[in-house]
């Protein structure tokens, strides 16, 4: 046996004098329990000060509490109780295995109450009620005023860890208080068989106090603490051996075990395990800090030592008294110093929390008051519980039966991680099968939510793993496949995808929830023909019973994944649509889902609204929009920037309806603070810190700026879940249904009509241009004037209103060059109008911001850009080309915007390359 195993066999339990959120979340504490190294945990104000004030582990939890307006002490108790609950749950199996003998976790009452009996009793019972775990111990200091509180707490059924015991006289009072509490409880007719208590006798501090009073080289140095503890153990054995104890024992009472505390070695001249090796005996506990645990595990000596040298112990104490060193005086001083030290640590801790609280609240700028009130209102309205009960009245009225139905069939995302875990083996087996088939790349044919998560994961993955995840070993690059997406009908982009994903090397995943998405089916027909109709090169992800599922079965697809029909497309990231590509990328799916569940647990109905990160973010977004800050501007460090586009879709498509909405403005070129209006709220996805300076300037200018640090690749799982909750809450605040998209069909209907007309007449009806020159044509529902394109554009942009926005809808290939030009156009238009400027490639954006464009606020200008394709080719079996399809989609979008009474202009270019001329006209 190793030293710890032998120690346990001798009847002593090692408890861990340390707690920290990181240990709870990374599994280290659980591992220590499973290895048998520790059998309980103790905490105190100093430990929590080190855990909270000296790390950033608690920042993500502290932020929503600060937004809710909680004060520092209230925040502390929330954070501490969360840790204690988690530790209690980790020790629960040991607690049950030992029938309550071990597995306890201790939480101390406020050190400010050390001399207030009634307040100590009240808080001990309050903490017991809040933690609600049978293996909690509430720590009460053994001050004069604490002793009667111990008795009352025991009588009330509270497990007690009595702390700061230094003197034998006070220890006798503590044991008497415990026994009296048990007797009081029995007299009241209550059982005592599950009441547990330990008496924490502080050790090393005694030597630290006495040694300096002794001459250099005195043989008594380093003797007082162990002698004092041995005499205490002798007193314990006497107390729990008489008739009084036997009367309680027959009723099922447990002994109050001595616990040796303060057992780290303060004097480097002493052995580092001196206060463990010399205090071993049955029915005892030693709570050790990390360094002492490691030392004892390595070279500790496990032998029964407590009952040895009792006479020598008495003699040592007598010699000290003879030298004028009064143990009564020393131990009272130690008690006073201990109370003060804990109070000082608590004061320092609260000051640190308050500083961080103020910083978090100040990030909201002028929104701070309204957000805190909103969170309180959400709590009062039971919104967290109603969300988890799928209550449609959060978003639609009782009279809106169709809206209610839509909500009830779209709430499966809340427990998507549970469903995903049941399918992990299927995902992983499929990835192995594809690798074994010598397929090294995958192309997802999808639109919107059916392909966006695949793209986000793939683009994140392209960065060096060290840049996004220091624990890169969890990314299995050896089994990784190249994953791309095709979400365009532009012929150049389709051709590029075909070149990069040739059939002999590729798997094509046809992804569509509805099973009939026009763009997806066009791409499928093309790649089906390209692959020579080889079903082994295809897989499908779709809802059960769709036409795509039937097609896949008929054509012999390699695999069909039937997705959860209770999850809408934009909420489907943690379902088959995101996780199948993730498995093919070689991601650790368990870890991804663990991070999602980490966030889910904080957003559960059992958490206060103020502690719910998703709800709190939703409150911020909702209140910002009500206050006129409805332009959610997303800044992102390069490694995590792909996630901004995912945020854009879920926010825009969920909120933009009934003339309301929150407009995401992702990855807009960064400007100085003065270029932004007071309609902005900023989100910073932080990984490398490259935008810290800009963010500081924005905050200094009074803009709300919210940080979201993503330290690892897998934090995306947590953020996906946070933003899903936040979106639902923000839509509740705005009074819109987060789960429908009533305006999307308008452009689809127009597009279908135009295609039908084309198939009949061989020509698309586009109308007459309002202006044309040098091959450039401008279409507008209103008159256009100007001798040059620059004048035409300037005339259009003059219609921009303060607080509005400009959207660039570009039906062009989504290339790096075109993306760069659109970014420059965004900056130029912003400079001219003062408006936020978004840019999207069509038809992709129709499945993201298209709903917002038609259903959101009517305060925008829309610049639709089309161009003659450089090359074009037919869509098999559809009687038209890709160039015709994308033009029909652009016209459908343009005319739907006119139908929705939006201000819109379409500029048709003679070639894609002519986009640079458009940029020049805007400069």
């Amino acid at each position: 046996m190793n030293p710890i195993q032998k120690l346990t066999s001798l009847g002593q339990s090692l408890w861990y004098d340390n707690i920290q959120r990181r240990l709870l979340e990374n599994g280290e504490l659980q591992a220590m329990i499973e290895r048998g190294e520790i059998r309980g945990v103790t905490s105190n104000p100093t430990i929590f000060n080190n855990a909270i004030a000296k790390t950033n582990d608690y920042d993500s939890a502290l932020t929503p509490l600060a937004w809710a307006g909680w004060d520092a002490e209230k925040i502390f108790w929330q954070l501490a109780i969360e840790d204690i609950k988690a530790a209690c749950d980790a020790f629960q199996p040991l607690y049950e295995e030992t029938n309550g003998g071990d597995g306890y976790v201790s939480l101390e009452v406020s050190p400010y109450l050390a001399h207030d009996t009634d307040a100590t009793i009240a808080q001990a019972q309050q903490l017991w009620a809040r933690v609600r775990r049978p293996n909690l111990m509430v720590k009460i200091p053994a001050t004069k005023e604490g002793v009667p509180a111990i008795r009352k707490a025991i009588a009330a059924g509270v497990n007690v860890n009595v702390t700061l015991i230094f003197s034998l006289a006070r220890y006798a009072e503590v044991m008497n208080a415990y026994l009296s509490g048990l007797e009081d409880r029995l007299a009241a007719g209550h059982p005592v068989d599950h009441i547990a208590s330990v008496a924490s006798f502080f050790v090393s501090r005694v030597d630290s106090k006495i040694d300096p009073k002794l001459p250099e080289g005195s043989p008594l140095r380093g003797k007082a603490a162990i002698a004092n503890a041995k005499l205490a153990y002798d007193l314990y054995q006497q107390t729990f051996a008489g008739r009084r104890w036997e009367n309680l024992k027959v009723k099922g009472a447990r002994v109050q075990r001595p616990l040796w505390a303060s057992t780290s070695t303060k004097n480097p001249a002493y052995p580092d395990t001196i206060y463990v090796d010399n205090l071993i005996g049955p029915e005892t506990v030693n709570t050790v800090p990390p360094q002492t645990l490691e030392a004892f595990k390595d070279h500790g000596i496990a032998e029964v030592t407590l009952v040895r040298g009792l006479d020598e112990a008495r003699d040592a104490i007598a010699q000290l008294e003879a030298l004028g060193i009064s143990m009564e005086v020393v131990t009272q001083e130690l008690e006073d110093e201990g109370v003060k030290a804990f109070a000082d640590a608590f004061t320092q801790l609260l000051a640190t929390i308050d500083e961080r609280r103020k910083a978090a609240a100040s990030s909201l700028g002028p929104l701070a008051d309204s957000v805190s009130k909103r969170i309180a209102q959400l709590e009062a309205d039971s919104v967290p519980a109603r969300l988890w009960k799928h209550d449609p009245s959060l978003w639609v009225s009782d009279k809106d039966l169709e809206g209610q139905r839509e909500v009830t069939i779209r709430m499966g995302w809340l427990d998507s991680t549970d469903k995903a875990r049941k399918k992990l083996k299927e995902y992983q087996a499929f990835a192995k099968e594809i690798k074994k088939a010598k397929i090294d790349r995958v192309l997802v044919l999808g639109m919107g939510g059916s392909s966006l998560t695949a793209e986000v994961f793939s683009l994140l993955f392209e960065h060096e793993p060290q840049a996004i995840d220091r624990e890169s070993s969890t990314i299995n690059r050896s089994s990784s496949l190249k994953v791309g997406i095709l979400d365009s009908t532009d012929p150049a982009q389709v051709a590029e995808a075909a070149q990069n994903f040739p059939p002999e090397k590729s798997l094509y995943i046809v992804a569509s929830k509805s099973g009939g998405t026009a763009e997806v089916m066009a791409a499928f027909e093309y790649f089906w023909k390209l692959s020579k109709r080889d079903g082994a090169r295809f897989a499908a992800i779709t809802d059960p019973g769709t036409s795509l599922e039937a097609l896949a079965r008929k054509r012999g697809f390699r695999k069909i994944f039937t997705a959860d029909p209770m999850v809408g497309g934009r909420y489907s990231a943690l379902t088959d649509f995101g996780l199948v590509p993730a498995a093919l990328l070689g991601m650790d799916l368990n870890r991804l889902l663990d991070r999602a569940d980490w966030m889910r647990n904080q957003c559960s109905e059992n958490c206060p609204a103020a502690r719910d990160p998703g709800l709190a973010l939703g409150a911020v977004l909702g209140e910002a929009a009500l206050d006129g800050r409805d332009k959610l501007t997303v800044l992102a460090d390069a490694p995590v920037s792909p996630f901004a586009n995912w945020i854009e879709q879920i926010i825009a498509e969920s909120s933009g309806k009934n003339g309301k909405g929150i407009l995401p403005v992702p990855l807009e070129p960064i400007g100085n603070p003065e270029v932004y209006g007071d309609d902005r709220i900023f989100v910073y996805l932080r990984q490398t810190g490259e935008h810290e300076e800009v963010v500081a300037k924005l905050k200094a200018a009074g803009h709300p700026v919210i940080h979201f640090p993503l330290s690892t690749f897998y934090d995306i799982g947590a953020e996906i879940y946070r933003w899903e909750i936040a979106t639902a809450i923000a839509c509740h605040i705005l009074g819109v249904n987060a789960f429908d998209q009533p305006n999307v069909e308008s452009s689809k209907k127009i597009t279908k009509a135009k295609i039908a007309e084309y198939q009949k007449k061989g020509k698309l009806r586009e109308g007459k241009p309002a202006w044309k020159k040098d091959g450039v044509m401008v279409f507008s529902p209103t008159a256009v004037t100007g001798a040059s394109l620059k004048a035409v554009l300037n005339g259009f942009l003059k219609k921009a209103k303060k607080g509005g926005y400009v959207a660039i809808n570009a039906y062009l290939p989504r290339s790096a060059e075109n993306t760069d030009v659109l970014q420059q156009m965004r900056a130029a238009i912003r400079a001219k109008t003062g408006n936020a400027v978004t840019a999207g490639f069509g038809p992709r954006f129709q499945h993201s911001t298209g709903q917002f464009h038609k259903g959101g606020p009517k305060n925008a200008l829309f610049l639709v850009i089309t161009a003659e394709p450089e090359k074009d080719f037919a869509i098999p079996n559809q009687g038209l080309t890709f160039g015709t399809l994308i033009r029909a989609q652009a016209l459908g979008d343009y005319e739907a915007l006119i139908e929705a009474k939006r201000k819109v202009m379409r500029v048709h270019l003679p070639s894609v390359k002519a986009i640079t001329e458009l940029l020049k006209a805007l400069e």
Side-chain angles (χ1 to χ4, degrees), residues 236-282:
Y236 156 78
Q237 290 183 311
Q238 295 174 40
T239 303
F240 288 89
R243 179 176 297 179
R244 183 184 184 188
W245 166 243
E246 291 300 326
N247 289 337
L248 290 168
K249 185 178 179 180
V250 296
K251 300 291 186 180
R254 303 164 184 265
V255 297
Q256 183 187 52
R257 287 184 291 174
L259 179 151
W260 313 122
S262 182
T263 54
S264 63
T265 303
K266 309 295 191 293
N267 189 333
Y270 299 161
D272 54 4
T273 59
I274 185 174
Y275 300 114
V276 182
D277 295 348
N278 292 284
L279 296 175
I280 299 173

Side-chain angles (χ1 to χ4, degrees), residues 649-761:
Q649 187 205 18
I650 195 167
I651 292 289
E653 197 167 35
S654 298
S655 70
K657 53 204 72 166
N658 303 336
K660 305 173 183 178
I662 300 164
L663 176 70
V665 187
L667 310 179
E668 186 182 30
I670 295 173
N672 292 321
E674 57 268 19
V675 306
Y676 302 108
D678 57 8
D679 58 343
R680 302 275 194 153
I681 177 172
F682 293 86
V683 160
Y684 177 29
L685 304 178
R686 186 187 184 283
Q687 203 282 318
T688 59
E690 63 195 72
H691 296 311
E692 285 286 8
E693 186 177 342
V694 172
V695 166
K697 290 179 180 178
L698 290 170
K699 289 181 69 174
H703 289 292
V705 185
I706 307 169
H707 284 67
F708 291 104
L710 290 90
S711 58
T712 78
F713 181 94
Y714 293 96
D715 283 344
I716 289 295
E719 290 306 320
I720 285 171
Y721 204 91
R722 183 208 303 267
W723 283 90
E724 288 176 344
I725 294 283
T727 300
I729 296 301
C731 289
H732 161 70
I733 293 169
L734 293 181
V736 298
N737 186 347
F739 307 104
D740 68 353
Q741 43 282 332
N743 304 100
V744 166
E745 287 300 318
S746 59
S747 62
K748 288 183 180 179
K749 287 179 181 178
I750 297 171
T751 297
K752 287 179 181 178
K754 287 189 175 293
I755 290 173
E757 184 179 13
Y758 173 83
Q759 290 170 332
K760 184 177 181 181
K761 297 182 179 180

